Amino acid sequence: MLPAQARLRRRPEFTAVVRSGRRAGRPTMVLHYLSERPGQSAGDDTSPVAARAGFVVGKAVGNSVVRHRVTRRLRAVVRAELDRLPGTADLVVRARPEAADADSAVLHRDLSAGLDRLLGDRVRSR
């Protein structure tokens, strides 16, 4: 399980990442990445210092049991990769229907490839 400070929870947080962030599509998921959180003030003592992640698993993925299983698997693979992101970053992982039949190894491969694309492009553009 992800710690509370590493999770996106509110709709405006998800919306900001999806609308303003960069996107990388993979066969089982779409990653939305925002390197800097909006609305963070420099003197804010309550601002989190770790990257955060949120998950969107819609009804197209499957019934409730399937959606929860996909969410648990995504949470586990994101937890393993979250340290690759800067502390000010937010990530939204949207599951595609193909994620319902994918095992954890496939989800991890797709997540790693998507993050490689997002983070590699960010470094090269500087």
Side-chain angles (χ1 to χ4, degrees), residues 57-58 60-72 97 99-101:
V57 183
V61 174
N63 65 23
S64 177
V65 174
V66 173
R67 291 193 312 267
H68 282 78
R69 181 175 58 233
V70 169
T71 304
R72 284 192 305 273
D101 299 324

Side-chain angles (χ1 to χ4, degrees), residues 2-3 6 33 49-53 75-89 91 108 111-112 115 119 122:
L2 288 173
Y33 172 75
V49 294
R52 300 184 302 175
R75 201 179 304 132
V77 297
V78 167
R79 182 178 58 233
E81 297 285 331
L82 202 57
D83 60 344
R84 292 178 56 186
L85 303 177
T88 59
L91 177 72
H108 192 265
L111 177 72
S112 293
L115 287 176
L119 296 174
R122 183 177 63 92

Side-chain angles (χ1 to χ4, degrees), residues 9-107:
R9 295 187 216 154
R10 295 183 180 89
R11 184 180 180 101
E13 295 170 340
F14 281 85
T15 303
V17 175
V18 171
R19 287 189 180 167
S20 302
R22 300 181 63 216
R23 183 178 66 207
R26 304 300 309 157
T28 60
M29 66 186 72
V30 177
L31 303 175
H32 298 272
Y33 172 75
L34 187 62
S35 60
E36 296 288 328
R37 291 185 191 116
Q40 291 283 332
S41 62
D44 190 7
D45 292 336
T46 62
S47 64
V49 294
R52 300 184 302 175
F55 304 92
V56 178
V57 183
K59 288 186 179 179
V61 174
N63 65 23
S64 177
V65 174
V66 173
R67 291 193 312 267
H68 282 78
R69 181 175 58 233
V70 169
T71 304
R72 284 192 305 273
R73 287 180 178 169
L74 287 173
R75 201 179 304 132
V77 297
V78 167
R79 182 178 58 233
E81 297 285 331
L82 202 57
D83 60 344
R84 292 178 56 186
L85 303 177
T88 59
D90 286 342
L91 177 72
V92 171
V93 179
R94 183 171 56 85
R96 289 185 166 168
E98 293 82 4
D101 299 324
D103 61 358
S104 295
V106 172
L107 294 174

